[in-house]
Amino acid sequence: MHLQVGLLLDGQRGHAHVNELDALTTGPLGLLNVLETHLGLLRQEPSGADRVLQYRELLKKLDHPERFYHQSFAVDELGTTSTLLEWRDQWHLHGWMPNDVAGLARSASRRLRDMADVEAQTCGKLAPGIGERLALVDAALTRLPARVTRLSLHEPLSWWPLAWQRVLRHLSPIEPPKATGAAASDTLLGELQRALLREDTATNAANGSVSPLRWRDDGTVQVLQAETGWLAAQSLAAALTLDPQETLMCTTDVGVLDEMLVAAHLPRQGFKEPSALRPALQVLPLVLGQMWAPLDLYGLLQFLTHPICPVPRVARIRLSEMLAQSPGIGQGPAWDRTMKQIEADCEKDGLDWANVRERIRIWVEHERHDPVQGAPLRLLTDRLHALSQYLQGRLRDPDPARQMAFNSGLSQTLTLQRALQALALQGETHIGAQSLQTLLSQATAQGGTNPLLVAQVGSCRTVTHPGAATEAVDQVLWWQMKAPSLVRAHPWSRTELGDLRQAGVHLPETSDLLAREARHWLSPILAARQRLVLVLPPQGEEVHPVWLRLESLFEKGHGSSIQSMEAALTDHTLQPVAHQPLPGRRRWWTLPAEVSVPRREKESFSSLESFLFNPFLWVLKYPAKLSPSSILDVSDGVLLYGNLSHHLVERYVQRPDALTLSDPDFGQWFDPEFDALVAQEGAVLLMPGRQEELASFRRRLKVALQQLRQQWRAAKVVYITSEEKLEGHFTGGAIGGSSDLLVTREDGQQAIIDMKWGSTTYADKLANNRHLQLVLYGEIVRQRTGQWPHLAYFSLSQGQLLSIDQSFFPQARVVRQKKEVGDEGPPHLWQRFLVSWQWRRQQLDQGLIEVVLREEEDISSDEAPPEDDHLCHQ
């Protein structure tokens, strides 16, 4: 068997396809799999989460206050275990052997002694890591040689970890010819490659022994830069003209590149970035996020609107709409109304309502637990079992791509389920939110790929790390040369590194790792034979260190020529297109003569408001029946405060003793009723970080309701109705609505109270006699009773009742009407409304629709509303 192996070649496609049997190009993991298969050592390897739990049990048994990891372990057991296990596996990979434990135990460092104590207990209790698997392969190769006739290493043997070096020496590896300096020497690319290959270039340049380069446009080196990633991808797509197998694309950040290549009618390259954000891998985190109290409304809305959800579609659509308006679950008017709607939908669609209701109970109405105290492992295991059954059922999907996606979600769920079972076997009964999140991260560590983004016929060679460019090609394209993540320094002191070296652990120096990384960065540039295309990130973003090194090689004033995206995409054969400005705004729309706008059978205040002040919106919404797209979001802020306040007042008014309840009894009623309402319709206020906001809202609403009760007592109100349905008529037809509060006094006089969260805007309406909504409702009551009711606003945030006088409410805050309003009252405002409506109606009948602009514009005499009695444009 012929193997070509590189440290960075796992999962890469930078090598040429060859017609050869028993030939393989791979990285360390691929080579380990081959060797274990040949030697009979292949086994089902446990997941990372399983190994973390195994190591956690060892750490917990040896834990005491003197251990260096004790305090961190007490705060986050699984997070601490994951870090220590990573250290331990790194030691084994770099040469630590079981018989070296005693030598390490004599170290003066407490950290190393504690790690050695734990290691002494791991025999048979911890699944082997990469280093231990290599030790088993090393031992097996002394007895049975592997069927490898030739092994080519693309890096020096000394670059490999010590455990790998021991294995590779059995295979007699050789180093293949390097893909360096492949371009012709008389080209700019060739000169650039030779300059990079010179040792100590900076020193030689300083001594004058190396001449700096001078840029020339011979087509062998091209540098592009775009303002956005989309434009950069478009410019790179234009460069893909050579033989795909003679083109190597290096991209460390694939981004939108594949989509732009497909849009340019080029083959998809099949960049498969593993991501934990694939839809099938998002279901489990959303399910687990609903296990904790208080209820996460945003997470629940995401769960119900997710395309993969175990709640039946007939239910989750209704539930999502309800949560957006009344954020809460459980008993309550909104919840009960939604359940009835879902039941009716099930009957209409022939679905089993009992089964749908049970699914809602399991996935939405279940018990939630304190994130610190933790949830019972038994309940979590049952939930994961239910989710795995749901995903198993989706595996029957006829689409292979969706089958693969569901299989990824199922594998993730089963991995976490096994981890929780392992915790239960260790004697644990509960797990907290932080520990569960750590296990979930372990179960989703590798992420998932998009099964639809596969490489198509004609795709070129691709690598996602510069060091994977190991073979020479005609053209190299390096897209988005952004700054990479650098090698992390070891978490060990110099003394500890010396102790580890004495115990057989040969960790490479950080400087050596940086030097190797810098050599890998040069590989794509040195691999180009004919053309090198470098695409820089947009200005303002940090560039790759290689680009800075390239710039330093050129003579000042004769540096590289960075070609903008516009120049790279210019095609001189295209005909110029004359600039056409966007259509200007028009004050008036004119309908064709054959088109008419009919009257509506029934109007409301909201429809009449847009009819008068924004007629173009009225036409688009009602006659044209256009509506904006509905993006569900949890109700919050002023809108939520107003809804909750209205509903609490409504609940209070429905009490038969609402007008006679004493203040102490009111206090006993308010707190539990407020808590119940918030849990049912405003649970977003119970989420972490909002306690102060909730307390302030509770205090303000309680004061407001107390003030409202005082206003009723002072006015000697004897009867109150909330949400009174009002039906009347006007010149244009029927009109309807509902008043917040309709109160009746001892003498039979009535008043309409419109409750609002704010106050300033509505005080201005009263002062200018512009309170149209109240007047419309007052006119309907006048039509029913023969006399105008009193009109008032109640500010829930301020606890104030606003009125133009105190004739009905003696303790109301009086809002004086402005001088220019004079003695006008509601009847006059009603007449002005009728005149304005008739004026708008005449415009529509003539086919004219006004677009009301924000800027003040002159209105011609034939367009102006009536001078005396009108509402528009004032």
Side-chain angles (χ1 to χ4, degrees):
M1 191 174 190
H2 180 200
L3 298 178
Q4 294 193 51
V5 184
L7 284 169
L8 303 170
L9 296 186
D10 279 316
Q12 304 294 322
R13 292 194 294 113
H15 54 279
H17 299 293
V18 295
N19 297 322
E20 183 181 357
L21 294 176
D22 269 357
L24 180 65
T25 301
T26 185
L29 294 180
L31 177 58
L32 179 58
N33 182 270
V34 169
L35 295 176
E36 288 181 329
T37 302
H38 287 177
L39 299 172
L41 299 176
L42 200 63
R43 76 191 82 187
Q44 178 68 38
E45 296 298 332
S47 67
D50 292 336
R51 296 188 71 240
V52 166
L53 292 177
Q54 294 169 1
Y55 202 59
R56 168 196 166 277
E57 186 176 16
L58 298 174
L59 291 174
K60 191 170 185 178
K61 286 183 178 179
L62 297 179
D63 184 31
H64 58 74
E66 298 301 320
R67 295 293 184 189
F68 82 94
Y69 60 82
H70 173 74
Q71 293 184 357
S72 299
F73 193 75
V75 175
D76 183 7
E77 290 187 358
L78 295 179
T80 303
T81 301
S82 180
T83 300
L84 299 185
L85 181 60
E86 181 182 352
W87 292 356
R88 182 255 184 201
D89 287 345
Q90 186 185 40
W91 291 359
H92 276 277
L93 186 62
H94 288 276
W96 202 26
M97 301 294 288
N99 55 2
D100 295 329
V101 173
L104 188 58
R106 292 191 296 270
S107 170
S109 170
R110 189 178 71 174
R111 290 202 297 177
L112 302 187
R113 290 199 309 269
D114 289 348
M115 292 289 289
D117 291 343
V118 177
E119 186 64 23
Q121 304 295 322
T122 60
C123 182
K125 300 178 182 178
L126 178 64
I130 299 295
E132 295 157 290
R133 291 166 61 186
L134 288 171
L136 295 175
V137 171
D138 180 27
L141 286 174
T142 60
R143 303 185 303 272
L144 179 66
R147 192 176 60 83
V148 178
T149 57
R150 184 181 179 189
L151 177 66
S152 301
L153 290 184
H154 288 283
E155 292 89 7
L157 183 62
S158 60
W159 287 20
W160 288 71
L162 186 56
W164 267 113
Q165 293 183 30
R166 292 167 178 164
V167 170
L168 293 174
R169 288 193 179 98
H170 290 283
L171 307 176
S172 301
I174 63 171
E175 292 188 24
K178 301 294 184 182
T180 57
S185 59
D186 59 345
T187 63
L188 177 62
L189 177 58
E191 294 178 2
L192 186 62
Q193 290 175 344
R194 290 198 306 276
L196 290 173
L197 289 172
R198 293 190 185 100
E199 294 183 358
D200 200 8
T201 303
T203 302
N204 292 333
N207 296 334
S209 57
V210 175
S211 300
L213 301 178
R214 183 181 289 254
W215 180 271
R216 67 179 188 274
D217 293 322
D218 61 358
T220 60
V221 179
Q222 186 179 13
V223 183
L224 304 175
Q225 189 172 43
E227 295 181 358
T228 66
W230 286 98
L231 296 178
Q234 189 175 358
S235 64
L236 187 59
L240 289 174
T241 57
L242 296 181
D243 180 3
Q245 286 305 305
E246 287 300 328
T247 299
L248 175 68
M249 186 179 299
C250 175
T251 170
T252 56
D253 179 17
V254 298
V256 299
L257 179 58
D258 242 351
E259 301 306 321
M260 285 303 302
L261 294 179
V262 172
H265 306 290
L266 294 171
R268 186 183 294 277
Q269 303 302 312
F271 294 114
K272 294 185 177 182
E273 273 190 313
S275 172
L277 301 180
R278 303 297 179 201
L281 297 180
Q282 292 175 328
V283 182
L284 181 57
L286 290 174
V287 168
L288 297 180
Q290 290 302 305
M291 294 300 300
W292 311 111
L295 172 65
D296 180 3
L297 265 299
Y298 298 100
L300 180 57
L301 189 61
Q302 292 173 358
F303 171 64
L304 292 173
T305 55
H306 197 272
I308 305 174
C309 180
V311 178
R313 179 179 177 82
V314 68
R316 55 195 180 96
I317 292 178
R318 293 286 190 183
L319 289 173
S320 301
E321 294 172 349
M322 183 216 69
L323 286 173
Q325 299 297 325
S326 302
I329 62 174
Q331 300 299 321
W335 180 265
D336 295 339
R337 183 169 57 252
T338 303
M339 291 299 105
K340 292 179 181 178
Q341 292 172 343
I342 297 174
E343 183 178 6
D345 292 341
C346 289
E347 293 178 359
K348 182 175 63 176
D349 296 339
L351 300 176
D352 184 2
W353 160 243
N355 179 58
V356 173
R357 187 66 182 87
E358 178 64 14
R359 299 275 287 277
I360 296 174
R361 186 194 64 79
I362 293 174
W363 297 107
V364 179
E365 293 183 287
H366 56 82
E367 181 183 3
R368 288 168 171 81
H369 306 272
D370 183 87
V372 177
Q373 299 298 326
L377 291 176
R378 177 182 54 81
L379 292 179
L380 283 171
T381 303
D382 292 344
R383 184 158 297 274
L384 293 180
H385 178 69
L387 182 59
S388 64
Q389 285 186 321
Y390 165 75
L391 293 173
Q392 284 175 347
R394 300 296 295 268
L395 294 179
R396 295 190 293 268
D397 194 292
D399 188 335
R402 287 198 292 266
Q403 284 184 15
M404 294 175 60
F406 295 137
N407 190 58
S408 299
L410 177 61
S411 176
Q412 174 198 38
T413 303
L414 294 178
T415 298
L416 184 59
Q417 189 175 356
R418 288 195 302 269
L420 294 181
Q421 291 170 348
L423 269 181
L425 291 176
Q426 293 176 9
E428 301 293 336
T429 59
H430 289 69
I431 184 172
Q434 186 175 7
S435 297
L436 185 61
Q437 181 61 39
T438 302
L439 281 182
L440 179 62
S441 300
Q442 293 285 342
T444 325
Q446 296 181 347
T449 57
N450 190 335
L452 299 177
L453 302 183
V454 296
Q456 296 176 337
V457 175
S459 60
C460 61
R461 307 192 206 179
T462 59
V463 295
T464 56
H465 191 287
T470 58
E471 298 180 3
V473 292
D474 289 346
Q475 178 177 237
V476 171
L477 309 175
W478 191 339
W479 186 66
Q480 294 292 76
M481 297 181 65
K482 295 181 180 180
S485 57
L486 299 178
V487 176
R488 291 183 302 173
H490 296 303
W492 313 104
S493 66
R494 283 289 176 185
T495 302
E496 289 174 325
L497 288 173
D499 293 336
L500 288 171
R501 197 171 298 109
Q502 291 180 2
V505 182
H506 296 272
L507 295 172
E509 295 287 343
T510 303
S511 58
D512 293 338
L513 293 175
L514 290 173
R516 296 171 190 176
E517 189 72 7
R519 179 60 182 80
H520 278 141
W521 290 341
L522 299 179
S523 297
I525 301 174
L526 300 176
R529 282 194 291 252
Q530 299 178 9
R531 190 178 184 218
L532 174 66
V533 179
L534 304 177
V535 182
L536 302 180
Q539 291 186 359
E541 294 189 20
E542 188 176 359
V543 296
H544 201 286
V546 166
W547 173 247
L548 301 178
R549 183 173 179 183
L550 293 179
E551 283 192 311
S552 68
L553 297 176
F554 287 90
E555 180 181 348
K556 292 184 178 179
H558 298 279
S560 59
S561 174
I562 300 179
Q563 189 175 3
S564 68
M565 181 280 309
E566 290 79 4
L569 297 179
T570 297
D571 187 344
H572 298 289
T573 64
L574 297 177
Q575 296 295 325
V577 177
H579 173 71
Q580 293 185 355
L582 294 174
R585 294 180 298 177
R586 292 183 300 163
R587 181 65 179 267
W588 295 90
W589 295 349
T590 304
L591 296 176
E594 65 274 10
V595 177
S596 62
V597 179
R599 299 188 181 190
R600 299 180 69 218
E601 294 183 359
K602 185 177 181 179
E603 297 283 3
S604 64
F605 167 73
S606 59
S607 66
L608 289 173
E609 185 179 36
S610 62
F611 182 86
L612 294 179
F613 304 109
N614 294 285
F616 75 103
L617 290 179
W618 182 89
V619 171
L620 294 177
K621 182 176 182 180
Y622 297 106
K625 294 182 170 32
L626 296 180
S627 60
S629 60
S630 59
I631 300 177
L632 294 178
D633 195 9
V634 176
S635 177
D636 206 343
V638 175
L639 178 62
L640 178 64
Y641 295 157
N643 290 338
L644 292 177
S645 301
H646 275 73
H647 294 167
L648 188 64
V649 173
E650 184 179 351
R651 292 188 182 190
Y652 177 73
V653 169
Q654 291 174 352
R655 291 178 57 93
D657 58 350
L659 295 173
T660 59
L661 195 65
S662 65
D663 290 341
D665 291 339
F666 168 76
Q668 293 180 358
W669 171 88
F670 179 86
D671 288 331
E673 199 68 26
F674 177 87
D675 293 336
L677 178 65
V678 170
Q680 295 166 7
E681 301 182 20
V684 66
L685 297 175
L686 300 174
M687 294 178 64
R690 307 197 65 171
Q691 289 81 2
E692 182 178 355
E693 181 182 356
L694 176 61
S696 175
F697 176 56
R698 177 197 296 269
R699 182 177 61 256
R700 295 171 73 178
L701 184 54
K702 188 173 185 178
V703 170
L705 195 46
Q706 288 172 336
Q707 289 295 323
L708 191 57
R709 282 163 33 88
Q710 179 62 31
Q711 293 287 348
W712 294 337
R713 285 197 293 263
K716 298 181 180 180
V717 172
V718 296
Y719 187 70
I720 305 174
T721 58
S722 62
E723 298 300 322
E724 176 78 7
K725 298 298 180 183
L726 302 176
E727 302 289 342
H729 61 274
F730 76 116
T731 306
I735 186 174
S738 60
S739 62
D740 288 343
L741 296 174
L742 179 62
V743 300
T744 305
R745 212 165 50 182
E746 287 180 339
D747 57 3
Q749 287 287 321
Q750 290 185 313
I752 296 177
I753 302 176
D754 194 12
M755 296 185 294
K756 305 294 184 182
W757 183 254
S759 61
T760 305
T761 302
Y762 302 100
D764 291 340
K765 289 180 180 293
L766 290 174
N768 291 282
N769 197 31
R770 304 278 291 183
H771 48 300
L772 183 58
Q773 183 178 11
L774 274 175
V775 169
L776 290 180
Y777 295 161
E779 168 62 18
I780 297 175
V781 173
R782 187 201 65 79
Q783 294 175 11
R784 188 170 64 184
T785 63
Q787 58 180 347
W788 275 89
H790 293 265
L791 307 176
Y793 287 113
F794 184 75
S795 171
L796 292 161
S797 61
Q798 303 294 326
Q800 292 181 341
L801 192 139
L802 311 176
S803 181
I804 60 175
D805 57 44
Q806 294 179 332
S807 60
F808 192 98
F809 296 104
Q811 295 184 0
R813 173 194 161 191
V814 177
V815 178
R816 301 297 180 186
Q817 291 185 327
K818 294 183 178 180
K819 292 182 179 180
E820 53 267 26
V821 175
D823 296 331
E824 289 186 3
H828 191 83
L829 179 57
W830 174 253
Q831 292 301 321
R832 293 166 61 197
F833 157 71
L834 295 178
V835 171
S836 299
W837 182 91
Q838 188 65 41
W839 177 69
R840 283 295 189 201
R841 187 65 251 179
Q842 290 174 357
Q843 291 175 347
L844 290 179
D845 292 340
Q846 296 170 9
L848 297 176
I849 304 173
E850 184 181 7
V851 180
V852 179
L853 305 177
R854 293 184 178 180
E855 296 83 357
E856 293 183 359
E857 297 185 4
D858 293 335
I859 304 175
S860 60
S861 58
D862 58 335
E863 298 170 355
E867 294 182 0
D868 297 328
D869 295 326
H870 66 89
L871 296 175
C872 307
H873 308 304
Q874 285 191 359

